[in-house]
Amino acid sequence: MHDNDVGAGWMIVMMIGMALFWGLIILGVVWIIRSAPWASPHSGHGAPLEILDRRFAAGEIDAEEYRERRSALQGKDD
């Protein structure tokens, strides 16, 4: 009456399809998170001029050294 072999075959195909579907969903989410701006090591907070500004604000370098390094980074010769 009922052919159980065909039903089992489709069930296996559906299970593989579902695993592929969820695998693609997970990979997509991981890709979106890794490509987000906040995840990048070179997003704006690490720019050379911003690092220099932070070092000057923290008192790690004096005003003269700050001006020299800033002009060097900007490509200006005073």
Side-chain angles (χ1 to χ4, degrees):
M1 314 280 165
H2 289 63
D3 194 320
N4 289 335
D5 292 334
V6 174
W10 279 110
M11 191 164 90
I12 291 171
V13 170
M14 289 177 62
M15 287 172 48
I16 291 171
M18 187 62 80
L20 288 173
F21 171 77
W22 283 111
L24 288 174
I25 295 292
I26 291 169
L27 286 175
V29 169
V30 169
W31 178 74
I32 288 171
I33 290 172
R34 292 192 67 177
S35 65
W38 66 82
S40 175
H42 299 293
S43 60
H45 69 278
L49 287 174
E50 291 180 15
I51 293 171
L52 182 64
D53 290 342
R54 279 186 287 176
R55 289 190 63 204
F56 180 63
E60 295 176 14
I61 58 175
D62 61 6
E64 182 180 342
E65 186 176 358
Y66 173 78
R67 282 190 294 271
E68 289 174 9
R69 290 180 181 221
R70 187 167 182 87
S71 66
L73 286 171
Q74 291 177 332
K76 298 178 184 176
D77 292 325
D78 289 334

